[in-house]
Amino acid sequence: MAKLCIFGMAVLCLFGSWSLAGDSNAALRERMVDQQIKARGITDEATLKAMAAVERHHFVDGRLSARAYEDRPLPIGHGQTISQPYIVAFMTEIVKPKPEHRVLEIGAGSGYQAAVLAEIVDEVYTIEIVEPLAETSAGVLQRLGYDNVEVRHGDGYYGWEDKAPFDSIVVTAAAEYIPPPLIEQLKEGGRMIIPVGSPLRTQQLMLVEKRDGEVQTRSLMPVRFVPFTRADD
Ligand code: SAH
């Protein structure tokens, strides 16, 4: 019996260290959350938990996966980028996601922001204008089991009318102005976060709130995003 226990413990230790080695990315994620996200003032528990859960290294090219948890955006091909982790966390926290929510994202890119939202809310709809990115992100999200995310190829300017209204809308490309269809598709009491300004310069991250049918906007911080393009650009 004693022998069996010692054997059992050895097996446990062996498995324990294996899983630790295999999950060094989990340690990198914990560090990312502590040093880049909590340290800069993000406090929403659901957001922090989602950032610690989503395996960001699957959303970048294999050659960049060792850099996935760095404090910076990374290229995802087609001239586009996956945002810096802190910006993803900031945009997630600010829309106040709740489990029963339905969220629209414009600019699926790698699919990472959609995955973070999908950890928290019931339904995520995301639109991507670059077809190969729409295909790749849909594939990664499916492979990782995010079956509450739907990816569509198209111009996000028009939103996703047959799934509207949305509790929140997250726009991850810089628009010259807030597309009116997105304001229309925002629920009463809903929140939209969108970088607004010239694609060539620093933009303002704006919070748009719809209250009693009125639209209120507030600038939150300067940011740099890739441009919001149009289908006929
Ligand atoms: N949320 C992404 C960030 C991608 S960068 C992520 O987590 O990886 C922004 C993306 O917006 C790019 O992939 C770009 O192709 C896309 N985009 C730009 N204009 C768009 C539009 N009008 N409709 C949909 N997607 C758009």
Side-chain angles (χ1 to χ4, degrees):
M1 183 64 183
K3 258 189 201 158
L4 208 67
C5 286
I6 290 167
F7 175 73
M9 273 169 64
V11 169
L12 253 180
C13 285
L14 207 64
F15 271 111
S17 55
W18 265 348
S19 65
L20 270 182
D23 210 6
S24 59
N25 282 305
L28 289 176
R29 274 198 299 285
E30 288 299 332
R31 201 183 324 153
M32 171 191 87
V33 169
D34 282 343
Q35 298 181 354
Q36 302 174 32
I37 297 170
K38 277 192 196 162
R40 292 192 180 114
I42 304 291
T43 57
D44 175 54
E45 277 304 323
T47 301
L48 295 172
K49 221 172 130 203
M51 295 298 297
V54 179
E55 301 189 336
R56 185 170 159 97
H57 58 284
H58 292 302
F59 293 86
V60 294
D61 186 274
R63 280 164 299 178
L64 286 174
S65 63
R67 309 189 58 189
Y69 299 99
E70 289 180 8
D71 191 12
R72 48 165 292 167
L74 290 169
I76 54 171
H78 307 275
Q80 308 303 327
T81 55
I82 176 174
S83 303
Q84 179 191 11
Y86 168 66
I87 292 292
V88 174
F90 183 89
M91 292 175 82
T92 305
E93 180 180 64
I94 204 81
V95 296
K96 298 190 193 274
K98 298 279 173 296
E100 66 278 13
H101 280 185
R102 174 182 283 206
V103 179
L104 173 68
E105 180 196 23
I106 308 301
S110 67
Y112 177 68
Q113 170 81 73
V116 170
L117 290 163
E119 288 280 340
I120 306 172
V121 309
D122 219 22
E123 293 171 52
V124 179
Y125 296 88
T126 181
I127 307 176
E128 172 53 55
I129 202 162
V130 176
E131 193 164 15
L133 287 177
E135 280 166 12
T136 314
S137 58
V140 173
L141 288 162
Q142 192 187 29
R143 186 157 55 80
L144 296 178
Y146 289 103
D147 45 21
N148 56 340
V149 183
E150 231 181 279
V151 183
R152 192 170 89 179
H153 167 234
D155 183 352
Y157 181 92
Y158 303 101
W160 196 316
E161 195 154 12
D162 45 330
K163 300 293 180 188
F166 298 96
D167 297 283
S168 52
I169 301 179
V170 175
V171 182
T172 65
E176 305 255 2
Y177 60 94
I178 305 167
L182 298 185
I183 295 177
E184 236 154 71
Q185 292 176 25
L186 191 61
K187 220 181 237 180
E188 169 62 36
R191 304 181 128 219
M192 166 164 37
I193 185 85
I194 176 169
V196 181
S198 159
L200 304 173
R201 271 180 261 138
T202 306
Q203 305 104 25
Q204 278 297 321
L205 198 54
M206 311 268 289
L207 177 65
V208 181
E209 290 177 275
K210 208 188 233 185
R211 279 202 220 123
D212 306 320
E214 300 248 312
V215 176
Q216 296 172 357
T217 60
R218 189 149 53 98
S219 290
L220 301 176
M221 66 161 143
V223 283
R224 280 210 92 135
F225 274 78
V226 295
F228 191 102
T229 53
R230 300 300 315 281
D232 49 11
D233 273 356

